[in-house]
Coordinates of all heavy atoms in Angstrom, one line a residue:
M1 N -11.9 23.7 -25.2 CA -12.9 22.7 -24.9 C -13.0 21.7 -26.0 O -13.1 22.1 -27.2 CB -14.2 23.4 -24.6 CG -15.3 22.5 -24.2 SD -16.6 23.4 -23.4 CE -17.9 23.2 -24.6
K2 N -13.1 20.4 -25.7 CA -13.2 19.4 -26.7 C -14.7 19.1 -26.9 O -15.5 19.4 -26.0 CB -12.5 18.1 -26.2 CG -11.1 18.3 -25.9 CD -10.2 18.4 -27.1 CE -8.8 18.6 -26.6 NZ -7.8 18.6 -27.7
D3 N -15.0 18.5 -28.0 CA -16.4 18.2 -28.3 C -16.8 16.9 -27.8 O -16.0 16.1 -27.3 CB -16.7 18.4 -29.8 CG -15.9 17.4 -30.7 OD1 -15.3 16.5 -30.1 OD2 -15.8 17.6 -31.9
N4 N -18.1 16.5 -28.0 CA -18.7 15.3 -27.6 C -18.0 14.1 -28.3 O -17.9 13.0 -27.7 CB -20.2 15.2 -27.8 CG -20.8 14.1 -27.0 OD1 -20.5 13.8 -25.9 ND2 -21.9 13.6 -27.6
N5 N -17.5 14.2 -29.5 CA -16.9 13.2 -30.2 C -15.6 12.7 -29.5 O -15.3 11.6 -29.5 CB -16.6 13.6 -31.7 CG -17.8 13.7 -32.5 OD1 -18.8 13.0 -32.3 ND2 -17.7 14.5 -33.5
T6 N -14.9 13.7 -28.9 CA -13.7 13.4 -28.2 C -14.0 12.6 -27.0 O -13.3 11.6 -26.7 CB -12.9 14.7 -27.8 OG1 -12.7 15.5 -28.9 CG2 -11.6 14.4 -27.1
S7 N -15.1 12.9 -26.3 CA -15.5 12.2 -25.1 C -15.8 10.7 -25.5 O -15.4 9.8 -24.9 CB -16.8 12.8 -24.5 OG -17.3 12.0 -23.5
E8 N -16.5 10.5 -26.6 CA -16.8 9.2 -27.1 C -15.6 8.4 -27.5 O -15.4 7.2 -27.3 CB -17.8 9.2 -28.3 CG -19.2 9.7 -27.9 CD -19.8 8.8 -26.7 OE1 -19.7 7.6 -26.7 OE2 -20.3 9.4 -25.7
L9 N -14.6 9.1 -28.1 CA -13.3 8.4 -28.4 C -12.6 7.9 -27.1 O -12.0 6.8 -27.1 CB -12.4 9.4 -29.2 CG -12.8 9.7 -30.6 CD1 -11.9 10.8 -31.2 CD2 -12.7 8.4 -31.5
V10 N -12.6 8.8 -26.1 CA -12.0 8.4 -24.8 C -12.7 7.2 -24.3 O -12.0 6.2 -23.9 CB -12.0 9.6 -23.9 CG1 -11.5 9.1 -22.5 CG2 -11.1 10.7 -24.3
I11 N -14.0 7.2 -24.3 CA -14.8 6.1 -23.8 C -14.5 4.8 -24.5 O -14.3 3.8 -23.9 CB -16.3 6.5 -23.7 CG1 -16.6 7.5 -22.6 CG2 -17.2 5.2 -23.5 CD1 -17.9 8.2 -22.7
E12 N -14.5 4.9 -25.9 CA -14.2 3.8 -26.7 C -12.8 3.2 -26.4 O -12.7 1.9 -26.3 CB -14.3 4.1 -28.2 CG -15.7 4.3 -28.7 CD -15.7 4.7 -30.2 OE1 -14.8 4.3 -30.9 OE2 -16.5 5.5 -30.5
K13 N -11.8 4.0 -26.2 CA -10.5 3.5 -25.9 C -10.4 2.9 -24.6 O -9.8 1.8 -24.4 CB -9.5 4.7 -26.0 CG -8.1 4.2 -25.8 CD -7.1 5.0 -26.7 CE -5.8 4.3 -26.6 NZ -4.8 5.0 -27.4
L14 N -11.1 3.4 -23.6 CA -11.2 2.8 -22.2 C -11.9 1.4 -22.3 O -11.4 0.4 -21.8 CB -11.9 3.7 -21.2 CG -11.1 4.9 -20.7 CD1 -12.0 5.8 -19.9 CD2 -9.9 4.5 -19.9
R15 N -13.0 1.4 -23.1 CA -13.7 0.1 -23.2 C -12.8 -0.9 -23.9 O -12.9 -2.1 -23.6 CB -15.0 0.3 -24.0 CG -16.1 0.9 -23.1 CD -17.4 0.9 -23.9 NE -18.5 1.4 -23.0 CZ -19.4 2.2 -23.4 NH1 -19.5 2.6 -24.6 NH2 -20.3 2.6 -22.5
S16 N -12.0 -0.5 -24.9 CA -11.2 -1.4 -25.6 C -10.1 -2.1 -24.7 O -9.6 -3.1 -25.0 CB -10.5 -0.8 -26.8 OG -9.5 0.1 -26.4
H17 N -9.8 -1.4 -23.6 CA -8.9 -2.0 -22.6 C -9.6 -2.7 -21.4 O -9.0 -3.0 -20.4 CB -8.1 -0.8 -22.0 CG -7.0 -0.3 -23.0 ND1 -5.8 -1.0 -23.2 CD2 -7.0 0.8 -23.8 CE1 -5.1 -0.3 -24.1 NE2 -5.8 0.7 -24.5
G18 N -10.9 -2.8 -21.6 CA -11.7 -3.6 -20.6 C -12.2 -2.8 -19.5 O -12.7 -3.3 -18.4
C19 N -12.2 -1.4 -19.5 CA -12.7 -0.6 -18.5 C -14.2 -0.4 -18.6 O -14.7 -0.2 -19.6 CB -12.0 0.8 -18.5 SG -10.3 0.8 -18.1
R20 N -14.8 -0.6 -17.4 CA -16.3 -0.2 -17.4 C -16.4 1.3 -17.3 O -15.6 2.0 -16.7 CB -16.9 -0.8 -16.1 CG -17.3 -2.2 -16.1 CD -18.1 -2.6 -14.9 NE -18.5 -1.4 -14.1 CZ -18.7 -1.3 -12.8 NH1 -18.5 -2.4 -12.1 NH2 -19.0 -0.2 -12.3
I21 N -17.4 1.8 -18.0 CA -17.6 3.2 -18.0 C -18.8 3.6 -17.0 O -19.9 3.4 -17.3 CB -17.9 3.8 -19.4 CG1 -16.9 3.3 -20.4 CG2 -18.1 5.3 -19.4 CD1 -15.5 3.7 -20.1
T22 N -18.4 4.0 -15.8 CA -19.3 4.3 -14.8 C -19.7 5.8 -14.9 O -19.0 6.6 -15.6 CB -18.7 4.1 -13.4 OG1 -17.5 4.9 -13.3 CG2 -18.2 2.6 -13.2
N23 N -20.7 6.2 -14.2 CA -21.1 7.6 -14.2 C -20.0 8.5 -13.6 O -19.8 9.5 -14.2 CB -22.4 7.8 -13.3 CG -23.0 9.1 -13.4 OD1 -23.1 9.7 -14.5 ND2 -23.3 9.7 -12.3
Q24 N -19.3 8.0 -12.6 CA -18.2 8.8 -12.1 C -17.1 9.0 -13.2 O -16.5 10.1 -13.3 CB -17.6 8.2 -10.9 CG -18.6 8.3 -9.7 CD -17.9 7.8 -8.4 OE1 -16.9 7.1 -8.4 NE2 -18.6 8.2 -7.3
R25 N -16.8 7.9 -13.9 CA -15.8 8.1 -14.9 C -16.2 9.0 -16.1 O -15.4 9.8 -16.6 CB -15.4 6.7 -15.6 CG -14.6 5.9 -14.6 CD -14.2 4.5 -15.3 NE -13.3 3.8 -14.3 CZ -13.0 2.6 -14.4 NH1 -13.6 1.8 -15.3 NH2 -12.2 2.0 -13.5
R26 N -17.5 9.0 -16.4 CA -18.0 9.9 -17.4 C -17.9 11.4 -16.9 O -17.5 12.3 -17.6 CB -19.5 9.6 -17.7 CG -19.7 8.5 -18.5 CD -21.2 8.3 -19.0 NE -21.4 7.1 -19.6 CZ -21.3 6.9 -21.0 NH1 -20.9 8.0 -21.7 NH2 -21.5 5.8 -21.5
I27 N -18.2 11.6 -15.6 CA -18.0 12.9 -15.0 C -16.6 13.4 -15.1 O -16.3 14.5 -15.5 CB -18.5 13.0 -13.6 CG1 -20.1 12.8 -13.6 CG2 -18.1 14.2 -12.8 CD1 -20.7 12.6 -12.2
L28 N -15.7 12.5 -14.7 CA -14.2 12.8 -14.8 C -13.8 13.2 -16.2 O -13.0 14.1 -16.4 CB -13.4 11.7 -14.2 CG -13.6 11.6 -12.7 CD1 -12.9 10.3 -12.2 CD2 -13.1 12.8 -11.9
I29 N -14.2 12.3 -17.2 CA -13.9 12.6 -18.5 C -14.4 14.0 -19.0 O -13.7 14.8 -19.6 CB -14.4 11.5 -19.5 CG1 -13.6 10.2 -19.3 CG2 -14.3 11.9 -21.0 CD1 -14.3 9.0 -19.8
D30 N -15.6 14.3 -18.6 CA -16.3 15.5 -19.0 C -15.5 16.7 -18.3 O -15.2 17.7 -19.0 CB -17.7 15.6 -18.4 CG -18.4 16.8 -18.8 OD1 -18.5 17.1 -20.0 OD2 -19.0 17.4 -17.9
V31 N -15.1 16.6 -17.1 CA -14.3 17.6 -16.4 C -13.0 17.9 -17.1 O -12.6 19.0 -17.4 CB -14.1 17.3 -14.9 CG1 -13.1 18.2 -14.3 CG2 -15.4 17.4 -14.2
I32 N -12.3 16.8 -17.4 CA -11.0 16.9 -18.1 C -11.1 17.5 -19.4 O -10.2 18.4 -19.8 CB -10.3 15.5 -18.2 CG1 -10.0 14.9 -16.8 CG2 -9.1 15.5 -19.1 CD1 -9.8 13.4 -16.8
L33 N -12.1 17.2 -20.2 CA -12.3 17.8 -21.5 C -12.7 19.2 -21.5 O -12.4 20.0 -22.4 CB -13.3 16.9 -22.3 CG -12.8 15.5 -22.7 CD1 -13.9 14.7 -23.4 CD2 -11.6 15.6 -23.6
K34 N -13.4 19.6 -20.5 CA -14.1 21.0 -20.5 C -13.2 22.0 -19.7 O -13.5 23.2 -19.9 CB -15.4 20.9 -19.9 CG -16.4 20.3 -20.8 CD -17.8 20.4 -20.3 CE -18.8 19.7 -21.3 NZ -20.1 19.7 -20.8
H35 N -12.3 21.6 -18.9 CA -11.5 22.5 -18.1 C -10.0 22.2 -18.3 O -9.6 21.1 -18.5 CB -11.9 22.3 -16.6 CG -13.3 22.5 -16.4 ND1 -13.9 23.8 -16.2 CD2 -14.3 21.6 -16.2 CE1 -15.2 23.6 -16.0 NE2 -15.5 22.3 -16.0
D36 N -9.2 23.3 -18.2 CA -7.7 23.2 -18.2 C -7.3 22.9 -16.7 O -7.1 23.9 -16.0 CB -7.1 24.4 -18.8 CG -7.4 24.5 -20.2 OD1 -7.5 23.5 -20.9 OD2 -7.4 25.6 -20.7
C37 N -7.2 21.7 -16.3 CA -6.8 21.4 -15.0 C -5.3 21.0 -14.9 O -4.8 20.2 -15.7 CB -7.6 20.2 -14.5 SG -9.4 20.6 -14.4
A38 N -4.6 21.6 -13.9 CA -3.2 21.3 -13.8 C -2.9 20.2 -12.8 O -1.8 19.8 -12.6 CB -2.5 22.6 -13.4
S39 N -3.9 19.8 -12.0 CA -3.7 18.8 -11.0 C -4.9 17.9 -10.8 O -6.1 18.3 -11.1 CB -3.3 19.5 -9.7 OG -4.4 20.1 -9.2
C40 N -4.7 16.8 -10.1 CA -5.8 15.9 -9.7 C -6.7 16.6 -8.8 O -7.9 16.4 -8.8 CB -5.3 14.6 -9.2 SG -4.6 13.5 -10.4
K41 N -6.2 17.5 -7.9 CA -7.0 18.2 -6.9 C -8.0 19.1 -7.6 O -9.1 19.3 -7.2 CB -6.1 18.9 -6.0 CG -5.4 18.0 -5.0 CD -4.5 18.8 -4.0 CE -3.8 17.8 -3.1 NZ -3.0 18.5 -2.1
E42 N -7.6 19.8 -8.6 CA -8.5 20.7 -9.4 C -9.6 19.8 -10.1 O -10.7 20.2 -10.0 CB -7.7 21.4 -10.5 CG -6.8 22.5 -10.0 CD -6.1 23.2 -11.2 OE1 -6.8 23.7 -12.0 OE2 -4.9 23.2 -11.1
I43 N -9.2 18.7 -10.6 CA -10.2 17.8 -11.3 C -11.2 17.3 -10.2 O -12.4 17.3 -10.4 CB -9.5 16.6 -12.0 CG1 -8.7 17.1 -13.1 CG2 -10.5 15.6 -12.4 CD1 -7.7 16.1 -13.7
Y44 N -10.6 16.9 -9.1 CA -11.5 16.4 -7.9 C -12.5 17.6 -7.5 O -13.7 17.3 -7.3 CB -10.6 16.0 -6.8 CG -11.4 15.8 -5.5 CD1 -12.2 14.7 -5.4 CD2 -11.3 16.7 -4.5 CE1 -13.0 14.5 -4.2 CE2 -12.0 16.5 -3.3 CZ -12.9 15.5 -3.2 OH -13.6 15.3 -2.0
Y45 N -12.0 18.8 -7.4 CA -12.8 19.9 -6.9 C -14.0 20.1 -7.9 O -15.1 20.2 -7.5 CB -12.0 21.1 -6.8 CG -12.8 22.4 -6.5 CD1 -13.3 22.6 -5.2 CD2 -13.1 23.3 -7.4 CE1 -14.0 23.7 -4.9 CE2 -13.8 24.4 -7.1 CZ -14.3 24.6 -5.8 OH -15.1 25.7 -5.6
L46 N -13.7 20.1 -9.2 CA -14.8 20.3 -10.1 C -15.7 19.1 -10.3 O -16.9 19.3 -10.3 CB -14.2 20.6 -11.5 CG -13.3 21.9 -11.6 CD1 -12.5 21.9 -12.9 CD2 -14.3 23.1 -11.5
A47 N -15.1 17.9 -10.2 CA -16.0 16.7 -10.3 C -16.9 16.5 -9.1 O -18.0 16.1 -9.2 CB -15.1 15.4 -10.5
S48 N -16.4 16.9 -7.9 CA -17.1 16.7 -6.7 C -18.3 17.6 -6.6 O -19.3 17.3 -5.9 CB -16.3 16.8 -5.4 OG -15.7 18.1 -5.3
K49 N -18.3 18.7 -7.4 CA -19.4 19.6 -7.5 C -20.6 18.9 -8.2 O -21.8 19.1 -7.9 CB -19.1 20.9 -8.2 CG -18.2 21.8 -7.4 CD -18.0 23.1 -8.2 CE -17.3 24.1 -7.5 NZ -17.1 25.4 -8.3
K50 N -20.2 18.1 -9.2 CA -21.2 17.3 -9.9 C -21.7 16.1 -9.2 O -22.8 15.6 -9.4 CB -20.7 17.0 -11.3 CG -20.4 18.2 -12.2 CD -19.9 17.7 -13.5 CE -19.7 19.0 -14.4 NZ -19.5 18.6 -15.8
D51 N -20.8 15.4 -8.5 CA -21.1 14.2 -7.8 C -20.3 14.2 -6.5 O -19.1 13.8 -6.5 CB -20.8 12.9 -8.6 CG -21.2 11.7 -7.9 OD1 -21.5 11.7 -6.7 OD2 -21.1 10.6 -8.6
P52 N -20.9 14.5 -5.4 CA -20.1 14.6 -4.1 C -19.6 13.3 -3.6 O -18.7 13.2 -2.8 CB -21.2 15.1 -3.1 CG -22.2 15.8 -3.9 CD -22.2 15.1 -5.2
S53 N -20.0 12.2 -4.2 CA -19.5 10.8 -3.8 C -18.2 10.5 -4.5 O -17.6 9.4 -4.1 CB -20.6 9.7 -4.1 OG -20.7 9.5 -5.5
I54 N -17.8 11.3 -5.4 CA -16.5 11.0 -6.1 C -15.3 11.3 -5.1 O -15.3 12.4 -4.5 CB -16.3 11.8 -7.3 CG1 -17.2 11.4 -8.4 CG2 -14.8 11.8 -7.8 CD1 -17.2 12.3 -9.7
G55 N -14.5 10.3 -4.9 CA -13.4 10.5 -4.0 C -12.1 10.9 -4.7 O -11.9 10.6 -5.9
I56 N -11.2 11.4 -4.0 CA -9.9 11.9 -4.5 C -9.1 10.6 -5.1 O -8.5 10.7 -6.1 CB -9.0 12.7 -3.5 CG1 -7.8 13.3 -4.2 CG2 -8.6 11.8 -2.3 CD1 -8.1 14.4 -5.1
A57 N -9.2 9.5 -4.4 CA -8.6 8.3 -4.9 C -9.1 7.9 -6.2 O -8.3 7.4 -7.1 CB -8.7 7.1 -3.9
T58 N -10.4 8.0 -6.4 CA -11.0 7.7 -7.8 C -10.4 8.5 -8.8 O -10.1 8.1 -9.9 CB -12.5 7.9 -7.7 OG1 -13.1 7.1 -6.7 CG2 -13.2 7.6 -9.0
V59 N -10.2 9.8 -8.5 CA -9.6 10.7 -9.5 C -8.1 10.3 -9.8 O -7.8 10.2 -11.0 CB -9.6 12.2 -9.0 CG1 -8.9 13.1 -9.9 CG2 -11.0 12.7 -8.8
Y60 N -7.4 10.0 -8.8 CA -6.0 9.6 -9.1 C -5.9 8.3 -9.9 O -5.1 8.1 -10.8 CB -5.2 9.4 -7.8 CG -4.7 10.7 -7.2 CD1 -5.4 11.4 -6.2 CD2 -3.5 11.3 -7.7 CE1 -4.9 12.6 -5.7 CE2 -3.0 12.5 -7.2 CZ -3.7 13.1 -6.2 OH -3.2 14.3 -5.7
R61 N -6.8 7.3 -9.5 CA -6.8 6.1 -10.3 C -7.2 6.3 -11.7 O -6.6 5.7 -12.7 CB -7.8 5.1 -9.6 CG -7.3 4.3 -8.5 CD -8.2 3.2 -8.1 NE -9.5 3.6 -7.8 CZ -9.9 4.0 -6.6 NH1 -9.1 4.0 -5.5 NH2 -11.2 4.3 -6.4
M62 N -8.2 7.1 -12.0 CA -8.6 7.4 -13.4 C -7.5 8.1 -14.1 O -7.3 7.8 -15.3 CB -9.9 8.3 -13.3 CG -10.4 8.6 -14.7 SD -11.0 7.2 -15.5 CE -12.0 8.0 -16.8
M63 N -6.8 9.1 -13.5 CA -5.8 9.8 -14.2 C -4.6 8.8 -14.6 O -4.1 8.9 -15.7 CB -5.3 10.9 -13.4 CG -6.4 12.0 -13.1 SD -7.4 12.5 -14.5 CE -6.1 13.4 -15.4
R64 N -4.3 7.9 -13.6 CA -3.3 6.9 -13.9 C -3.7 6.0 -15.0 O -2.9 5.7 -16.0 CB -3.0 6.1 -12.6 CG -1.8 5.2 -12.8 CD -1.4 4.4 -11.6 NE -2.6 3.7 -11.0 CZ -3.1 4.0 -9.8 NH1 -2.5 4.9 -9.0 NH2 -4.1 3.3 -9.4
T65 N -4.9 5.6 -15.1 CA -5.4 4.7 -16.1 C -5.4 5.4 -17.5 O -4.9 4.9 -18.5 CB -6.9 4.3 -15.8 OG1 -6.9 3.6 -14.6 CG2 -7.5 3.5 -17.0
L66 N -5.8 6.7 -17.5 CA -5.8 7.5 -18.8 C -4.3 7.7 -19.3 O -4.1 7.6 -20.5 CB -6.5 8.8 -18.6 CG -8.0 8.7 -18.3 CD1 -8.5 10.1 -18.0 CD2 -8.7 8.2 -19.6
E67 N -3.4 7.9 -18.3 CA -2.0 8.0 -18.7 C -1.5 6.7 -19.3 O -0.7 6.7 -20.3 CB -1.2 8.5 -17.6 CG -1.4 10.0 -17.3 CD -0.5 10.4 -16.1 OE1 -0.8 10.2 -15.0 OE2 0.6 11.0 -16.5
E68 N -1.8 5.6 -18.5 CA -1.3 4.3 -19.0 C -1.7 3.9 -20.4 O -0.9 3.2 -21.1 CB -1.7 3.2 -18.0 CG -1.0 3.2 -16.7 CD -1.6 2.2 -15.7 OE1 -2.5 1.4 -16.1 OE2 -1.2 2.2 -14.5
Y69 N -2.9 4.2 -20.7 CA -3.4 3.9 -22.0 C -3.1 4.9 -23.1 O -3.6 4.8 -24.3 CB -5.0 3.7 -22.0 CG -5.4 2.5 -21.1 CD1 -6.5 2.6 -20.4 CD2 -4.5 1.4 -20.9 CE1 -6.9 1.5 -19.5 CE2 -4.9 0.4 -20.1 CZ -6.1 0.4 -19.4 OH -6.4 -0.6 -18.5
G70 N -2.4 5.9 -22.8 CA -1.9 7.0 -23.7 C -3.0 7.9 -24.1 O -3.0 8.6 -25.2
I71 N -4.1 8.0 -23.3 CA -5.2 8.9 -23.7 C -4.8 10.4 -23.3 O -5.2 11.3 -24.0 CB -6.5 8.5 -23.0 CG1 -6.9 7.1 -23.5 CG2 -7.6 9.5 -23.2 CD1 -8.0 6.4 -22.7
I72 N -4.1 10.5 -22.2 CA -3.7 11.9 -21.8 C -2.2 11.9 -21.5 O -1.6 10.8 -21.3 CB -4.5 12.3 -20.5 CG1 -4.1 11.4 -19.3 CG2 -6.0 12.4 -20.7 CD1 -4.6 12.0 -18.0
T73 N -1.7 13.1 -21.5 CA -0.3 13.3 -21.0 C -0.3 14.4 -20.0 O -1.3 15.2 -20.0 CB 0.6 13.8 -22.2 OG1 0.1 15.0 -22.8 CG2 0.7 12.7 -23.3
R74 N 0.7 14.4 -19.2 CA 0.8 15.4 -18.1 C 2.1 16.1 -18.3 O 3.1 15.6 -18.2 CB 0.7 14.8 -16.8 CG 0.8 15.8 -15.7 CD 0.6 15.2 -14.3 NE 1.1 13.8 -14.2 CZ 1.4 13.2 -13.1 NH1 1.2 13.8 -12.0 NH2 1.8 11.9 -13.1
Q75 N 2.0 17.4 -18.7 CA 3.2 18.2 -18.8 C 3.0 19.3 -17.7 O 3.2 19.0 -16.5 CB 3.3 18.8 -20.2 CG 3.6 17.7 -21.2 CD 3.4 18.1 -22.6 OE1 2.9 19.3 -22.9 NE2 3.7 17.3 -23.6
S76 N 2.5 20.5 -18.0 CA 2.1 21.4 -17.0 C 0.6 21.3 -16.7 O 0.2 21.7 -15.7 CB 2.5 22.8 -17.5 OG 1.7 23.2 -18.6
M77 N -0.1 20.7 -17.7 CA -1.5 20.4 -17.5 C -1.9 19.1 -18.1 O -1.2 18.6 -18.9 CB -2.4 21.5 -18.2 CG -2.5 22.8 -17.5 SD -3.7 23.7 -18.4 CE -2.8 25.2 -18.6
Y78 N -3.0 18.5 -17.6 CA -3.5 17.3 -18.3 C -4.0 17.6 -19.6 O -4.8 18.6 -19.8 CB -4.5 16.6 -17.5 CG -3.9 15.9 -16.2 CD1 -4.1 16.4 -15.0 CD2 -3.2 14.7 -16.4 CE1 -3.6 15.7 -13.9 CE2 -2.6 14.1 -15.3 CZ -2.8 14.6 -14.1 OH -2.3 14.0 -13.0
Q79 N -3.7 16.9 -20.7 CA -4.2 17.2 -22.0 C -4.6 15.9 -22.7 O -3.8 14.9 -22.7 CB -3.1 17.9 -22.9 CG -2.7 19.1 -22.2 CD -2.3 20.2 -23.2 OE1 -2.1 20.0 -24.3 NE2 -2.3 21.4 -22.7
V80 N -5.7 15.9 -23.3 CA -6.2 14.7 -24.1 C -5.4 14.6 -25.4 O -5.2 15.6 -26.1 CB -7.7 14.8 -24.3 CG1 -8.2 13.6 -25.2 CG2 -8.5 14.8 -23.0
E81 N -5.0 13.4 -25.6 CA -4.1 13.2 -26.8 C -4.8 12.5 -28.0 O -4.2 12.1 -28.9 CB -2.9 12.3 -26.4 CG -2.0 13.0 -25.4 CD -1.3 14.2 -26.1 OE1 -0.8 14.1 -27.2 OE2 -1.3 15.2 -25.4
I82 N -6.1 12.3 -27.9 CA -6.9 11.7 -28.9 C -7.3 12.8 -29.9 O -7.7 13.8 -29.6 CB -8.1 10.9 -28.4 CG1 -7.6 9.8 -27.6 CG2 -9.0 10.5 -29.5 CD1 -8.6 8.9 -26.9

């Protein structure tokens, strides 16, 4: 599990690329940092418990954004690289 500083680093990096930090994005970042998820479906399942309005497409878009900016990598699981 990563600490709150890692969460803030992820948020800062997203902001530096012009991304707005919405409540749903904060929830997704929190889920990714606190759980070892191997798929977007796992992330979606955990995130939707916190906010049922989060859609699977939101999860996929967020994961693609995080990968594009080099914040995470996907090998057998998603891992934060900061």
Side-chain angles (χ1 to χ4, degrees):
M1 180 163 113
K2 305 284 182 175
D3 61 15
N4 195 36
N5 289 334
T6 305
S7 176
E8 290 305 314
L9 288 172
V10 171
I11 289 169
E12 284 178 36
K13 186 141 187 180
L14 287 170
R15 280 188 178 139
S16 75
H17 287 281
C19 291
R20 277 189 13 209
I21 305 304
T22 63
N23 187 48
Q24 289 186 345
R25 285 185 176 161
R26 285 185 187 275
I27 290 170
L28 291 172
I29 291 166
D30 184 54
V31 166
I32 294 163
L33 292 175
K34 290 185 178 176
H35 303 279
D36 290 330
C37 296
S39 71
C40 287
K41 288 182 182 179
E42 287 180 57
I43 295 167
Y44 167 72
Y45 175 76
L46 294 168
S48 66
K49 287 182 174 181
K50 295 181 179 193
D51 182 351
S53 70
I54 292 176
I56 189 75
T58 301
V59 175
Y60 278 99
R61 278 192 302 270
M62 179 67 164
M63 300 312 292
R64 185 177 55 242
T65 298
L66 293 171
E67 285 182 280
E68 284 175 8
Y69 298 148
I71 296 171
I72 63 169
T73 59
R74 180 176 31 162
Q75 294 163 353
S76 61
M77 282 191 232
Y78 285 107
Q79 304 213 341
V80 174
E81 293 297 315
I82 293 179

